[in-house]
Amino acid sequence: MSTSTLQARVHALRLEAEGIISVEFQPAGEGVAFPPFSAGSHIDLHLPNGLMRSYSLCNPAGDSGRYVVGVQLDRASRGGSRYVHEQLRVGQVIEICAPRNNFALHEDAPRSVLVSGGIGITPLWCMLQRLVALGRPVELIYCARSRAEAAFAEPIAALDGRVHVTWHFDSERGGPPDLPALLANRGADSHYYCCGPGPMLDAFERACERL
């Protein structure tokens, strides 16, 4: 997709979990539409403090008229996530770039297994909603440090019966997830996706090598 600059108005700010908010953007100006996007896409926010930050879109692909991103407050923030949490306000207009997708979803896969770590749920939540809408077989493995830090947990739980979700909270299990065990017996034709912190991605790659 094009990386042209768009004018976006902050329409809503919502607390999704401890330290995580979602930001809904709508087009600024009459008769203006946002370009469409596919699951796994991200946008760049040109923040008024001069910083640019990329965030994954988490609303359903095909959603017209809005982009929604999830932003975690980084304890070591250099001004990006901290600005979004502390200074971005409803009604404010900022520049964003049109969606780009470096994490494309294969919608026709026989089965998809989504593995999320913390804020990594944002692109996977978008993928999950897309696959559910298409009626495709999908499973989510959602890992977080605690239930309080699990964004979008409520709407994900509401999909019970249509999606099998495995929850792993470090605070309740006494440590990080055992990915080889969680990914075992999924079948060679499954497609695997993971988004999360670096150590989790490394563990995911090692686990996939054994499948």
Side-chain angles (χ1 to χ4, degrees), residues 10-17 19-25 56 58-59 66-72 84-85 88 90 119 122 125 151-152:
V10 179
H11 180 75
L13 298 166
R14 175 185 170 91
L15 181 66
E16 301 292 351
I20 300 173
I21 63 171
S22 64
V23 185
E24 178 180 336
F25 293 101
S56 296
C58 53
N59 53 310
R66 66 180 188 138
Y67 294 153
V68 181
V69 299
V71 182
Q72 181 177 43
V84 173
H85 273 253
L88 204 62
V90 171
I119 192 60
T122 49
W125 175 220
F152 310 113

Side-chain angles (χ1 to χ4, degrees), residues 180-203:
L182 289 172
L183 295 176
N185 304 317
R186 293 300 189 282
D189 59 352
S190 294
H191 286 218
Y192 298 85
Y193 302 82
C194 183
C195 188
M200 183 177 190
L201 294 177
D202 293 340

Side-chain angles (χ1 to χ4, degrees), residues 71-157:
V71 182
Q72 181 177 43
L73 179 59
D74 185 347
R75 294 178 176 84
S77 175
R78 294 175 295 172
S81 65
R82 186 168 299 281
Y83 182 92
V84 173
H85 273 253
E86 297 180 357
Q87 299 187 55
L88 204 62
R89 294 291 181 266
V90 171
Q92 190 172 353
V93 175
I94 68 169
E95 290 187 349
I96 66 173
C97 287
R100 304 192 303 278
N101 197 335
N102 300 320
F103 192 30
L105 173 67
H106 293 270
E107 298 180 349
D108 58 351
R111 182 177 184 80
S112 298
V113 180
L114 313 179
V115 183
S116 167
I119 192 60
I121 189 61
T122 49
L124 300 183
W125 175 220
C126 182
M127 291 180 178
L128 182 64
Q129 293 172 91
R130 176 62 176 169
L131 291 169
V132 169
L134 294 173
R136 303 298 300 171
V138 57
E139 176 180 353
L140 173 66
I141 299 172
Y142 192 161
C143 307
R145 288 180 295 189
S146 69
R147 289 182 185 271
E149 297 171 275
F152 310 113
E154 185 174 333
I156 290 171

